[in-house]
Every structure is written in C-alpha cells, then in structure tokens.
C-alpha cells in the first residue's frame, strides 16, 4: 500500500518548482513510510510513497516500461488479488517479468489492454499510468472504492492524489467550501456524496471509474456497475457458494512478504476472517496467526445494553482465540487519548469523520503497526448481507430517507436559525439519486425491489464512509488493512441474492451464518450483531463537553454557523436525543466530538467559506 500523486501543468516547467512537489509528497509520507520516488518530465510529475508489502526489493515506484514506440510510467496504491492469473495471461501474450511485484503485472496489463485492463483486475487499487509519447494520463479506481483517488482540474492544471491534503499542498486549489460543501458536512456528514471532495474544485473518481487526461481535457468512464441478474441457485448451493467466495477472497488476501495479522472483535465477520486465516496459516506451516482487539479503560464498568449494542465483546473474543488458536493482543485505550486524537483523526481523514469511532481506530492502528504492516478486517459484510437493524425493521425499511440518519432535526439544532435552509431538500435529492442507481428485474417483488435500493444506499453511502475511515486511519499509521468482504464477486453475488436467502432463518446475515456453521463456534455463528466498540465511560462525555464549550467561546467562521444554545442543550440533556446523528453509535458524546473535529478541520486546513 502506498500514496500516489501527480501534477500536469500547461504552463509550468515542474522541474523549476521542486518545493511544490516536495510539499505534495510530504502529505503522503505516512501512507508510504518505506520509500519515496518521483518521475519528472518537463510539465509532468508523478509522485510515489511506498509501504513495502510484496517484493520489497523490486517493487519500487514510479515503475517504467518501454514497449514499441511508447514508454509507460506507473504510480500505484493498492493490491491485486488475481496477480497470478493476470500474469499467466500476459506471459502467453509474450510479456516477460523481472519482479514478483503486482506493480509490474499491472503496468504491463495496461500496456497490453489500455483502458480495458480495469475490467480484468480483482483488488483494491488507485493508480495512474502516463504514456510519455502520447502525453496521456490514465487514472483508475477499484470497483468497490476501497482505495481513494482525488483530483482537480482547472485552467490547464491537472492534479491528483490519494488524499485531499495532497491536492491542497499544490497551492493551486484553495481550502474553500461553498454552500453545497456545508450541506455535505452538516446534513450528510460524516458521509459525503460519492465523488464529492467537499472543497471547491476537488473531486474523487467514483468506485469502478477511470479517467483520461489528454489534450487538456479530463474525461471519465464507468467501467463497472452492479447489475441485476436472476439468482438461480437453491438454498444449499447458495450456502456453499457464499462459503466458497468468502474463503477464496480471504485466502487471496493473505499473501504478504511482511508480517500479517487480523482484527478480531468476536463478531461474525471478523471471526470468519480469523478462523479462515488461522486454518490457512496452519496448512501452510506458517505457525500461529496473530489477532488484535480494541477495548476502552473501565468499559466493563459502564457498559449499557442497547438495541444496537446488546452485549460486550470480551467473552466472544476469548471463544474465538481458543477456536482459532491465535496469539492475541488486546489494545486498551484511555478516554483522554481518545479525546485528544479527535483532531489527529480529522486531519488524517482531511474531513470531520465518525468522531471517536475514527480516533479509536487511529490509536488502535498505531499499536498494531508496532508489530505488523498488514491486517485483515471484517468491514462491509453488514452492508452487503443485511446486517443492520434498518434492513429488518419494516417501519423503517420503506421510509424514503437514509435509514442511518432518518431525521435532520438534531443536525438542524446545532445550527443558527436561517443557516443552510435547503439542508433537508439537499439530503432528499441525494437519497433519490442513489435509489435511482438500483438496477432491478421485472420479476422483483416490492420487497426485492426495496432491498436493491437499500443495498445501493448502503453501498454508496454507509459502506463508503466506513471504507474512508479504515483507509485514512490505518494508512496514517503506515498500516495496510485489507477488507475481504469487498471482493467484487462477493458484492455482485450478494446484490442478486433473494432476501429470504440472505436473511435465512429470519436473521441478519443469515446466509453467512449458515455458511460457517460447524466451522465457527455456534455462539459466534448466531451471536446478535454488535457494532464497532465504543466507550461508555462518562469521563469521555465530560472531556468532549469541555472541548466544545471552549470552541463556542471562539469567534471564527465555524462558530458563526453554530447555535450555542442548541449545542449547550445537547451537553445538558444528552439522553434527550431521539436518534443517532449517524448510524448506530453517534449519539450525544459523538455529536460533540464531531464538533471538536469540525473545529480541528477548520483550523488545520484554514477552511474558508464562500456562499
């Protein structure tokens, strides 16, 4: 895993502007702490920062390949999981290979297939290839959107990077947020509209999209869409197919030339990954698998059961340690550090995020990185296989709204009267755009049709928000985290699986549970879903409340938007909030933490408002 960037200028000889390139590269240092490289040719620069994981000696970038009259240069962030198949195909076409790196395979796949190479890739990636003779730049992002790729195009300048801050570091784009950006932050955040970079002039390639910059113009093409297809398999075949796809995805993602571990929460998804990885390691003679979990100081003392979090994780983690026979490490986070890291997490994400759900992951990844450079995590199973409560609550299911943020009232309450008056209308338009993406079959029932819409809502919003979080927090620590449930084959299969099979036995992720019966302990297989662990310690609420009170005493662009009385009411009456700000976990302490992150974001990036 790495960080990439590039700059094509119509006017500048970039060799005369080393400071700009140095600044852009510097923003990617944490993503690629092992090596850095640059390709510089007149008005184009390609920048790479490397986290060495596969073929450590020979995978250096930018990588260059000459074929015929053309010379190709690649910078690449990601991992291919079908490298062997792709390499075999290219060998049959006469290509030769000097390294074991997937970078060389990807570069030569582009040389062979050009834009069509994207359709042949299974992996998580964002990459750029520059054709020296043709003066053409190709950008591509993976099907699911696991790896980020932002860009800006204006006045003959084209800049791209793995992070928003990389583009801002060019000096060509200012940290200006318009009205739509504020709607994103206050009414949709921490999610954001796919492709929206929040800052004016910054966009992001969509999942499954590529772009070409040529003759001063940037054109984009969608090479991958989730399509509706009939599901023809019976229950037994569906169970077996689900098991095969998940095991195959996990095993493909265990390839690494540096130490690898798994995250283990004791939930179904992380347990499937851990058990599969442990079995694979033993068969391969690699010894015991290492696993990691996160907990908070004194959480057992203050834990409160809820609809979203019915039980604590500890007993289930211990059960899985015994079942998979792993070497386990528990990371215990202090509430004061959790609060302090809110600002660091906002800077790492380039935006206010999921509050302490972000900052805890940042601290957790820092601890994991002390011993490992690669981890596997169970993200996205809930979005794909109907794991969240809103899939199963008929009172919510058919509501025409984002189910994780059904009411805008709490968001409206923290803003001054008369501010961002079209907020609810803006959210409604984004909802309607998204459900319109759901391809359906004529045979779909009302329930089947709605489940396809729900799939798209979760895929393009909730899932992308979690993938953003996982990428930015882990890569800020130089830790590569792989997400096997995001294999596009799993996504396609889940999209077309009938609801009565997906929710087999009337349970969330019922088909996945059935697929791993007899492989996982029964208590794990049929444990009620529990979300990412959060702190229940009242000390945390006290700490974030104090931070927010100090923020409200400032006079700046942010506080000009905020309602002091509305926020003070949250501090005084935390239990009065009718529903979470976002998802399952963002209640009063997290809403206040979001304001802390907003303040850090405004200050660090020098955010200007223009609307």
């Amino acid at each position: 895993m790495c960080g990439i960037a590039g700059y094509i200028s119509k006017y500048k000889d970039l060799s005369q502007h080393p400071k700009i390139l140095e600044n852009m590269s510097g923003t990617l240092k944490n993503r690629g702490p092992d090596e850095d490289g640059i390709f510089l040719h007149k008005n184009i620069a390609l920048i790479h920062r490397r986290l060495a994981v596969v073929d450590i000696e020979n995978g250096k970038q930018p990588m260059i390949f000459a074929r015929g009259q053309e010379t190709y240069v690649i910078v690449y962030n990601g991992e291919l999981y079908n490298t062997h198949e792709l390499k075999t195909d290219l060998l049959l076409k006469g290509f030769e290979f000097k390294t074991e790196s997937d970078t060389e395979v990807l570069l030569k796949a582009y040389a062979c297939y050009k834009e069509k190479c994207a359709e042949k890739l299974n992996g998580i990636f964002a990459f750029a290839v520059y054709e020296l003779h043709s003066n053409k730049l190709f950008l591509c992002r993976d099907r699911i959107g696991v790896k980020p790729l932002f860009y800006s195009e204006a006045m003959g300048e084209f800049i791209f990077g793995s992070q928003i801050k990389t583009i801002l570091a060019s000096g060509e784009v200012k940290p200006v947020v318009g009205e739509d950006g504020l709607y994103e932050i206050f009414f949709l955040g921490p999610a954001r509209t796919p492709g929206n970079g929040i800052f004016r002039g910054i966009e992001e390639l969509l999942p499954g999209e590529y772009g070409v910059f040529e003759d001063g113009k940037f054109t984009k093409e969608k090479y991958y869409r989730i399509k509706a297809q009939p599901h023809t398999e019976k229950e037994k075949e569906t169970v077996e197919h689900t098991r095969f796809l998940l095991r195959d995805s996990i095993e493909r993602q265990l390839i690494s030339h540096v130490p690898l571990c798994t995250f283990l929460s004791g939930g179904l998804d992380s347990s499937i990954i851990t058990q599969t990885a442990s079995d694979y390691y033993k068969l391969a003679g690699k010894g015991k698998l290492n696993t990691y979990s996160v907990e908070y100081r004194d959480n057992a003392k203050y834990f409160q059961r809820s609809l979203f979090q019915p039980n604590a994780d500890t007993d289930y983690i211990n059960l899985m340690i015994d079942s998979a026979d792993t070497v386990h490490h528990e990371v215990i986070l202090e509430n004061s550090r959790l609060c302090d890291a809110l600002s660091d997490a906002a800077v790492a994400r380039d935006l206010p995020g999921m509050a302490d759900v972000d900052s805890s992951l940042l601290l957790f990844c820092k601890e994991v990185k002390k011993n490992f450079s690669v981890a596997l995590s169970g993200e996205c199973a809930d979005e794909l296989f109907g794991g969240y409560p809103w899939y199963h609550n008929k009172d919510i299911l058919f509501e025409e709204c984002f189910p994780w943020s059904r009411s805008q009232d709490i968001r409206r309450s923290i803003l001054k009267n008369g501010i961002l008056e079209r907020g609810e209308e803006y959210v409604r338009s984004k909802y309607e755009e998204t459900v319109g993406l759901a391809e359906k079959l004529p045979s779909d029932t009302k329930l089947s049709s709605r489940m396809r819409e729900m799939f798209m809502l979760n895929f393009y919003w909730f899932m992308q928000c979690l993938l953003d979080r996982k990428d930015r927090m882990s890569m800020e620590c130089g830790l590569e985290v792989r997400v096997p449930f995001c294999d596009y084959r799993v996504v396609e299969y889940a999209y077309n699986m009938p609801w009565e099979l997906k929710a087999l036995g009337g349970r969330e992720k019922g088909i996945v549970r059935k697929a791993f019966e007899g492989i996982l302990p029964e208590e794990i297989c049929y444990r009620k879903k529990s979300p990412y662990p959060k702190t229940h310690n009242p000390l945390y609420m006290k700490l974030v409340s104090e931070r927010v009170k100090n923020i409200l005493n400032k006079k700046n662009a942010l506080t000009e938007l905020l309602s002091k009385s509305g926020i003070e009411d949250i501090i005084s009456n935390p239990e009065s909030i009718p529903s979470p700000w976002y998802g399952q976990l963002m209640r009063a302490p997290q809403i206040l933490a979001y304001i802390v992150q907003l303040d850090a974001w405004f200050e660090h990036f020098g955010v200007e408002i223009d609307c």
Side-chain angles (χ1 to χ4, degrees), residues 231-256:
H231 184 92
T232 59
E233 296 172 339
K234 302 298 184 184
E235 179 182 319
K236 184 171 184 285
E237 296 170 299
T238 303
V239 169
E240 291 171 352
H241 198 162
T242 300
R243 185 189 307 117
F244 166 78
L245 284 175
L246 292 177
R247 277 181 158 174
D248 186 63
S249 177
I250 294 164
E251 290 176 0
R252 283 175 182 266
Q253 298 189 29
L254 291 171
I255 296 171
S256 174

PDB file of all heavy atoms in Angstrom, residues 231-256:
ATOM      1  N   HIS A 231     -31.072 -14.930  -9.633  1.00  0.00           N
ATOM      2  CA  HIS A 231     -30.370 -15.862  -8.752  1.00  0.00           C
ATOM      3  C   HIS A 231     -31.013 -17.226  -8.953  1.00  0.00           C
ATOM      4  O   HIS A 231     -32.184 -17.434  -8.614  1.00  0.00           O
ATOM      5  CB  HIS A 231     -30.483 -15.415  -7.293  1.00  0.00           C
ATOM      6  CG  HIS A 231     -29.716 -16.275  -6.339  1.00  0.00           C
ATOM      7  ND1 HIS A 231     -28.426 -15.998  -5.967  1.00  0.00           N
ATOM      8  CD2 HIS A 231     -30.052 -17.420  -5.682  1.00  0.00           C
ATOM      9  CE1 HIS A 231     -27.996 -16.921  -5.131  1.00  0.00           C
ATOM     10  NE2 HIS A 231     -28.971 -17.792  -4.940  1.00  0.00           N
ATOM     11  N   THR A 232     -30.274 -18.168  -9.513  1.00  0.00           N
ATOM     12  CA  THR A 232     -30.858 -19.457  -9.912  1.00  0.00           C
ATOM     13  C   THR A 232     -30.537 -20.604  -8.964  1.00  0.00           C
ATOM     14  O   THR A 232     -31.042 -21.713  -9.143  1.00  0.00           O
ATOM     15  CB  THR A 232     -30.360 -19.827 -11.324  1.00  0.00           C
ATOM     16  OG1 THR A 232     -28.931 -19.904 -11.318  1.00  0.00           O
ATOM     17  CG2 THR A 232     -30.811 -18.789 -12.353  1.00  0.00           C
ATOM     18  N   GLU A 233     -29.699 -20.344  -7.958  1.00  0.00           N
ATOM     19  CA  GLU A 233     -29.276 -21.428  -7.060  1.00  0.00           C
ATOM     20  C   GLU A 233     -30.264 -21.628  -5.914  1.00  0.00           C
ATOM     21  O   GLU A 233     -30.856 -20.668  -5.408  1.00  0.00           O
ATOM     22  CB  GLU A 233     -27.879 -21.116  -6.489  1.00  0.00           C
ATOM     23  CG  GLU A 233     -26.797 -21.063  -7.564  1.00  0.00           C
ATOM     24  CD  GLU A 233     -25.466 -20.555  -7.016  1.00  0.00           C
ATOM     25  OE1 GLU A 233     -25.469 -19.898  -5.961  1.00  0.00           O
ATOM     26  OE2 GLU A 233     -24.453 -20.815  -7.654  1.00  0.00           O
ATOM     27  N   LYS A 234     -30.403 -22.875  -5.501  1.00  0.00           N
ATOM     28  CA  LYS A 234     -31.234 -23.209  -4.343  1.00  0.00           C
ATOM     29  C   LYS A 234     -30.468 -22.892  -3.056  1.00  0.00           C
ATOM     30  O   LYS A 234     -29.319 -22.473  -3.084  1.00  0.00           O
ATOM     31  CB  LYS A 234     -31.618 -24.690  -4.383  1.00  0.00           C
ATOM     32  CG  LYS A 234     -32.351 -25.109  -5.643  1.00  0.00           C
ATOM     33  CD  LYS A 234     -33.669 -24.391  -5.795  1.00  0.00           C
ATOM     34  CE  LYS A 234     -34.437 -24.905  -7.020  1.00  0.00           C
ATOM     35  NZ  LYS A 234     -35.682 -24.151  -7.247  1.00  0.00           N
ATOM     36  N   GLU A 235     -31.134 -23.134  -1.924  1.00  0.00           N
ATOM     37  CA  GLU A 235     -30.539 -22.778  -0.633  1.00  0.00           C
ATOM     38  C   GLU A 235     -29.182 -23.446  -0.411  1.00  0.00           C
ATOM     39  O   GLU A 235     -28.203 -22.789  -0.048  1.00  0.00           O
ATOM     40  CB  GLU A 235     -31.495 -23.143   0.504  1.00  0.00           C
ATOM     41  CG  GLU A 235     -30.927 -22.811   1.881  1.00  0.00           C
ATOM     42  CD  GLU A 235     -31.847 -23.219   3.019  1.00  0.00           C
ATOM     43  OE1 GLU A 235     -33.077 -23.023   2.894  1.00  0.00           O
ATOM     44  OE2 GLU A 235     -31.334 -23.750   4.025  1.00  0.00           O
ATOM     45  N   LYS A 236     -29.108 -24.755  -0.620  1.00  0.00           N
ATOM     46  CA  LYS A 236     -27.855 -25.480  -0.353  1.00  0.00           C
ATOM     47  C   LYS A 236     -26.715 -24.945  -1.225  1.00  0.00           C
ATOM     48  O   LYS A 236     -25.597 -24.723  -0.745  1.00  0.00           O
ATOM     49  CB  LYS A 236     -28.063 -26.971  -0.605  1.00  0.00           C
ATOM     50  CG  LYS A 236     -26.851 -27.852  -0.274  1.00  0.00           C
ATOM     51  CD  LYS A 236     -27.252 -29.322  -0.365  1.00  0.00           C
ATOM     52  CE  LYS A 236     -26.095 -30.245   0.049  1.00  0.00           C
ATOM     53  NZ  LYS A 236     -25.062 -30.355  -0.949  1.00  0.00           N
ATOM     54  N   GLU A 237     -27.001 -24.724  -2.504  1.00  0.00           N
ATOM     55  CA  GLU A 237     -25.972 -24.193  -3.405  1.00  0.00           C
ATOM     56  C   GLU A 237     -25.559 -22.784  -3.012  1.00  0.00           C
ATOM     57  O   GLU A 237     -24.380 -22.420  -3.088  1.00  0.00           O
ATOM     58  CB  GLU A 237     -26.510 -24.175  -4.840  1.00  0.00           C
ATOM     59  CG  GLU A 237     -26.816 -25.542  -5.424  1.00  0.00           C
ATOM     60  CD  GLU A 237     -27.554 -25.415  -6.741  1.00  0.00           C
ATOM     61  OE1 GLU A 237     -28.674 -24.848  -6.745  1.00  0.00           O
ATOM     62  OE2 GLU A 237     -27.002 -25.877  -7.759  1.00  0.00           O
ATOM     63  N   THR A 238     -26.518 -21.988  -2.576  1.00  0.00           N
ATOM     64  CA  THR A 238     -26.222 -20.609  -2.176  1.00  0.00           C
ATOM     65  C   THR A 238     -25.332 -20.578  -0.944  1.00  0.00           C
ATOM     66  O   THR A 238     -24.393 -19.782  -0.857  1.00  0.00           O
ATOM     67  CB  THR A 238     -27.535 -19.844  -1.909  1.00  0.00           C
ATOM     68  OG1 THR A 238     -28.349 -19.886  -3.078  1.00  0.00           O
ATOM     69  CG2 THR A 238     -27.242 -18.387  -1.566  1.00  0.00           C
ATOM     70  N   VAL A 239     -25.623 -21.470   0.006  1.00  0.00           N
ATOM     71  CA  VAL A 239     -24.782 -21.572   1.205  1.00  0.00           C
ATOM     72  C   VAL A 239     -23.356 -21.941   0.810  1.00  0.00           C
ATOM     73  O   VAL A 239     -22.382 -21.307   1.264  1.00  0.00           O
ATOM     74  CB  VAL A 239     -25.359 -22.621   2.181  1.00  0.00           C
ATOM     75  CG1 VAL A 239     -24.352 -22.931   3.293  1.00  0.00           C
ATOM     76  CG2 VAL A 239     -26.670 -22.128   2.780  1.00  0.00           C
ATOM     77  N   GLU A 240     -23.206 -22.932  -0.043  1.00  0.00           N
ATOM     78  CA  GLU A 240     -21.876 -23.391  -0.458  1.00  0.00           C
ATOM     79  C   GLU A 240     -21.138 -22.320  -1.273  1.00  0.00           C
ATOM     80  O   GLU A 240     -19.933 -22.125  -1.107  1.00  0.00           O
ATOM     81  CB  GLU A 240     -22.000 -24.678  -1.272  1.00  0.00           C
ATOM     82  CG  GLU A 240     -22.452 -25.875  -0.434  1.00  0.00           C
ATOM     83  CD  GLU A 240     -22.778 -27.100  -1.282  1.00  0.00           C
ATOM     84  OE1 GLU A 240     -22.806 -26.963  -2.541  1.00  0.00           O
ATOM     85  OE2 GLU A 240     -23.000 -28.185  -0.704  1.00  0.00           O
ATOM     86  N   HIS A 241     -21.870 -21.637  -2.142  1.00  0.00           N
ATOM     87  CA  HIS A 241     -21.271 -20.594  -2.979  1.00  0.00           C
ATOM     88  C   HIS A 241     -20.805 -19.421  -2.116  1.00  0.00           C
ATOM     89  O   HIS A 241     -19.715 -18.861  -2.328  1.00  0.00           O
ATOM     90  CB  HIS A 241     -22.287 -20.124  -4.020  1.00  0.00           C
ATOM     91  CG  HIS A 241     -21.680 -19.398  -5.171  1.00  0.00           C
ATOM     92  ND1 HIS A 241     -22.333 -19.200  -6.368  1.00  0.00           N
ATOM     93  CD2 HIS A 241     -20.469 -18.784  -5.324  1.00  0.00           C
ATOM     94  CE1 HIS A 241     -21.559 -18.528  -7.196  1.00  0.00           C
ATOM     95  NE2 HIS A 241     -20.429 -18.258  -6.581  1.00  0.00           N
ATOM     96  N   THR A 242     -21.621 -19.043  -1.136  1.00  0.00           N
ATOM     97  CA  THR A 242     -21.243 -17.962  -0.215  1.00  0.00           C
ATOM     98  C   THR A 242     -19.973 -18.329   0.544  1.00  0.00           C
ATOM     99  O   THR A 242     -19.045 -17.514   0.661  1.00  0.00           O
ATOM    100  CB  THR A 242     -22.386 -17.679   0.777  1.00  0.00           C
ATOM    101  OG1 THR A 242     -23.558 -17.294   0.048  1.00  0.00           O
ATOM    102  CG2 THR A 242     -22.003 -16.576   1.754  1.00  0.00           C
ATOM    103  N   ARG A 243     -19.928 -19.556   1.052  1.00  0.00           N
ATOM    104  CA  ARG A 243     -18.750 -20.014   1.788  1.00  0.00           C
ATOM    105  C   ARG A 243     -17.504 -19.995   0.889  1.00  0.00           C
ATOM    106  O   ARG A 243     -16.439 -19.499   1.287  1.00  0.00           O
ATOM    107  CB  ARG A 243     -18.969 -21.419   2.334  1.00  0.00           C
ATOM    108  CG  ARG A 243     -17.817 -21.924   3.218  1.00  0.00           C
ATOM    109  CD  ARG A 243     -17.959 -23.398   3.561  1.00  0.00           C
ATOM    110  NE  ARG A 243     -19.239 -23.693   4.138  1.00  0.00           N
ATOM    111  CZ  ARG A 243     -20.145 -24.505   3.593  1.00  0.00           C
ATOM    112  NH1 ARG A 243     -19.883 -25.096   2.426  1.00  0.00           N
ATOM    113  NH2 ARG A 243     -21.294 -24.725   4.179  1.00  0.00           N
ATOM    114  N   PHE A 244     -17.647 -20.491  -0.339  1.00  0.00           N
ATOM    115  CA  PHE A 244     -16.514 -20.508  -1.259  1.00  0.00           C
ATOM    116  C   PHE A 244     -16.003 -19.100  -1.552  1.00  0.00           C
ATOM    117  O   PHE A 244     -14.793 -18.840  -1.493  1.00  0.00           O
ATOM    118  CB  PHE A 244     -16.899 -21.196  -2.576  1.00  0.00           C
ATOM    119  CG  PHE A 244     -15.885 -20.932  -3.665  1.00  0.00           C
ATOM    120  CD1 PHE A 244     -14.671 -21.618  -3.691  1.00  0.00           C
ATOM    121  CD2 PHE A 244     -16.110 -19.960  -4.635  1.00  0.00           C
ATOM    122  CE1 PHE A 244     -13.711 -21.347  -4.666  1.00  0.00           C
ATOM    123  CE2 PHE A 244     -15.169 -19.687  -5.618  1.00  0.00           C
ATOM    124  CZ  PHE A 244     -13.961 -20.380  -5.629  1.00  0.00           C
ATOM    125  N   LEU A 245     -16.896 -18.185  -1.890  1.00  0.00           N
ATOM    126  CA  LEU A 245     -16.480 -16.830  -2.255  1.00  0.00           C
ATOM    127  C   LEU A 245     -15.752 -16.143  -1.101  1.00  0.00           C
ATOM    128  O   LEU A 245     -14.716 -15.495  -1.299  1.00  0.00           O
ATOM    129  CB  LEU A 245     -17.694 -15.993  -2.666  1.00  0.00           C
ATOM    130  CG  LEU A 245     -18.283 -16.268  -4.048  1.00  0.00           C
ATOM    131  CD1 LEU A 245     -19.558 -15.453  -4.248  1.00  0.00           C
ATOM    132  CD2 LEU A 245     -17.273 -15.956  -5.146  1.00  0.00           C
ATOM    133  N   LEU A 246     -16.284 -16.283   0.116  1.00  0.00           N
ATOM    134  CA  LEU A 246     -15.658 -15.620   1.260  1.00  0.00           C
ATOM    135  C   LEU A 246     -14.310 -16.245   1.590  1.00  0.00           C
ATOM    136  O   LEU A 246     -13.324 -15.530   1.816  1.00  0.00           O
ATOM    137  CB  LEU A 246     -16.590 -15.662   2.466  1.00  0.00           C
ATOM    138  CG  LEU A 246     -17.859 -14.808   2.325  1.00  0.00           C
ATOM    139  CD1 LEU A 246     -18.760 -14.974   3.538  1.00  0.00           C
ATOM    140  CD2 LEU A 246     -17.521 -13.334   2.120  1.00  0.00           C
ATOM    141  N   ARG A 247     -14.243 -17.558   1.593  1.00  0.00           N
ATOM    142  CA  ARG A 247     -12.949 -18.208   1.868  1.00  0.00           C
ATOM    143  C   ARG A 247     -11.923 -17.868   0.798  1.00  0.00           C
ATOM    144  O   ARG A 247     -10.758 -17.588   1.098  1.00  0.00           O
ATOM    145  CB  ARG A 247     -13.138 -19.719   1.938  1.00  0.00           C
ATOM    146  CG  ARG A 247     -13.619 -20.223   3.277  1.00  0.00           C
ATOM    147  CD  ARG A 247     -13.738 -21.727   3.228  1.00  0.00           C
ATOM    148  NE  ARG A 247     -13.683 -22.330   4.556  1.00  0.00           N
ATOM    149  CZ  ARG A 247     -13.885 -23.617   4.780  1.00  0.00           C
ATOM    150  NH1 ARG A 247     -14.154 -24.424   3.768  1.00  0.00           N
ATOM    151  NH2 ARG A 247     -13.818 -24.095   6.010  1.00  0.00           N
ATOM    152  N   ASP A 248     -12.339 -17.888  -0.459  1.00  0.00           N
ATOM    153  CA  ASP A 248     -11.407 -17.603  -1.550  1.00  0.00           C
ATOM    154  C   ASP A 248     -10.898 -16.168  -1.464  1.00  0.00           C
ATOM    155  O   ASP A 248      -9.701 -15.909  -1.653  1.00  0.00           O
ATOM    156  CB  ASP A 248     -12.097 -17.833  -2.895  1.00  0.00           C
ATOM    157  CG  ASP A 248     -11.138 -17.687  -4.067  1.00  0.00           C
ATOM    158  OD1 ASP A 248     -10.184 -18.484  -4.160  1.00  0.00           O
ATOM    159  OD2 ASP A 248     -11.323 -16.757  -4.872  1.00  0.00           O
ATOM    160  N   SER A 249     -11.788 -15.247  -1.157  1.00  0.00           N
ATOM    161  CA  SER A 249     -11.382 -13.845  -1.028  1.00  0.00           C
ATOM    162  C   SER A 249     -10.389 -13.669   0.119  1.00  0.00           C
ATOM    163  O   SER A 249      -9.363 -12.993  -0.019  1.00  0.00           O
ATOM    164  CB  SER A 249     -12.609 -12.959  -0.799  1.00  0.00           C
ATOM    165  OG  SER A 249     -12.222 -11.622  -0.595  1.00  0.00           O
ATOM    166  N   ILE A 250     -10.689 -14.281   1.256  1.00  0.00           N
ATOM    167  CA  ILE A 250      -9.791 -14.167   2.419  1.00  0.00           C
ATOM    168  C   ILE A 250      -8.423 -14.761   2.108  1.00  0.00           C
ATOM    169  O   ILE A 250      -7.380 -14.139   2.365  1.00  0.00           O
ATOM    170  CB  ILE A 250     -10.421 -14.860   3.649  1.00  0.00           C
ATOM    171  CG1 ILE A 250     -11.690 -14.126   4.083  1.00  0.00           C
ATOM    172  CG2 ILE A 250      -9.415 -14.912   4.805  1.00  0.00           C
ATOM    173  CD1 ILE A 250     -12.583 -14.928   5.012  1.00  0.00           C
ATOM    174  N   GLU A 251      -8.409 -15.949   1.538  1.00  0.00           N
ATOM    175  CA  GLU A 251      -7.130 -16.623   1.271  1.00  0.00           C
ATOM    176  C   GLU A 251      -6.295 -15.869   0.237  1.00  0.00           C
ATOM    177  O   GLU A 251      -5.071 -15.797   0.356  1.00  0.00           O
ATOM    178  CB  GLU A 251      -7.389 -18.063   0.832  1.00  0.00           C
ATOM    179  CG  GLU A 251      -7.896 -18.930   1.981  1.00  0.00           C
ATOM    180  CD  GLU A 251      -8.261 -20.341   1.563  1.00  0.00           C
ATOM    181  OE1 GLU A 251      -8.127 -20.664   0.346  1.00  0.00           O
ATOM    182  OE2 GLU A 251      -8.674 -21.133   2.440  1.00  0.00           O
ATOM    183  N   ARG A 252      -6.926 -15.266  -0.753  1.00  0.00           N
ATOM    184  CA  ARG A 252      -6.194 -14.458  -1.738  1.00  0.00           C
ATOM    185  C   ARG A 252      -5.524 -13.255  -1.061  1.00  0.00           C
ATOM    186  O   ARG A 252      -4.472 -12.792  -1.498  1.00  0.00           O
ATOM    187  CB  ARG A 252      -7.149 -13.950  -2.823  1.00  0.00           C
ATOM    188  CG  ARG A 252      -7.551 -14.988  -3.856  1.00  0.00           C
ATOM    189  CD  ARG A 252      -8.591 -14.423  -4.808  1.00  0.00           C
ATOM    190  NE  ARG A 252      -9.041 -15.414  -5.776  1.00  0.00           N
ATOM    191  CZ  ARG A 252      -8.533 -15.570  -6.996  1.00  0.00           C
ATOM    192  NH1 ARG A 252      -7.546 -14.784  -7.399  1.00  0.00           N
ATOM    193  NH2 ARG A 252      -9.006 -16.494  -7.808  1.00  0.00           N
ATOM    194  N   GLN A 253      -6.155 -12.770   0.005  1.00  0.00           N
ATOM    195  CA  GLN A 253      -5.667 -11.553   0.643  1.00  0.00           C
ATOM    196  C   GLN A 253      -4.677 -11.827   1.782  1.00  0.00           C
ATOM    197  O   GLN A 253      -4.266 -10.902   2.493  1.00  0.00           O
ATOM    198  CB  GLN A 253      -6.852 -10.712   1.117  1.00  0.00           C
ATOM    199  CG  GLN A 253      -7.717 -10.281  -0.055  1.00  0.00           C
ATOM    200  CD  GLN A 253      -8.786  -9.276   0.301  1.00  0.00           C
ATOM    201  OE1 GLN A 253      -8.631  -8.487   1.214  1.00  0.00           O
ATOM    202  NE2 GLN A 253      -9.885  -9.280  -0.451  1.00  0.00           N
ATOM    203  N   LEU A 254      -4.286 -13.087   1.938  1.00  0.00           N
ATOM    204  CA  LEU A 254      -3.297 -13.444   2.956  1.00  0.00           C
ATOM    205  C   LEU A 254      -1.864 -13.402   2.425  1.00  0.00           C
ATOM    206  O   LEU A 254      -0.924 -13.620   3.184  1.00  0.00           O
ATOM    207  CB  LEU A 254      -3.597 -14.832   3.515  1.00  0.00           C
ATOM    208  CG  LEU A 254      -4.870 -14.938   4.366  1.00  0.00           C
ATOM    209  CD1 LEU A 254      -5.184 -16.395   4.678  1.00  0.00           C
ATOM    210  CD2 LEU A 254      -4.740 -14.116   5.640  1.00  0.00           C
ATOM    211  N   ILE A 255      -1.699 -13.102   1.150  1.00  0.00           N
ATOM    212  CA  ILE A 255      -0.357 -13.041   0.565  1.00  0.00           C
ATOM    213  C   ILE A 255       0.335 -11.759   1.006  1.00  0.00           C
ATOM    214  O   ILE A 255      -0.169 -10.657   0.805  1.00  0.00           O
ATOM    215  CB  ILE A 255      -0.422 -13.097  -0.978  1.00  0.00           C
ATOM    216  CG1 ILE A 255      -1.004 -14.446  -1.423  1.00  0.00           C
ATOM    217  CG2 ILE A 255       0.946 -12.873  -1.593  1.00  0.00           C
ATOM    218  CD1 ILE A 255      -1.312 -14.529  -2.890  1.00  0.00           C
ATOM    219  N   SER A 256       1.503 -11.918   1.626  1.00  0.00           N
ATOM    220  CA  SER A 256       2.268 -10.765   2.095  1.00  0.00           C
ATOM    221  C   SER A 256       3.693 -11.211   2.379  1.00  0.00           C
ATOM    222  O   SER A 256       3.914 -12.318   2.867  1.00  0.00           O
ATOM    223  CB  SER A 256       1.641 -10.190   3.367  1.00  0.00           C
ATOM    224  OG  SER A 256       2.446  -9.167   3.909  1.00  0.00           O
TER     225      SER A 256
END
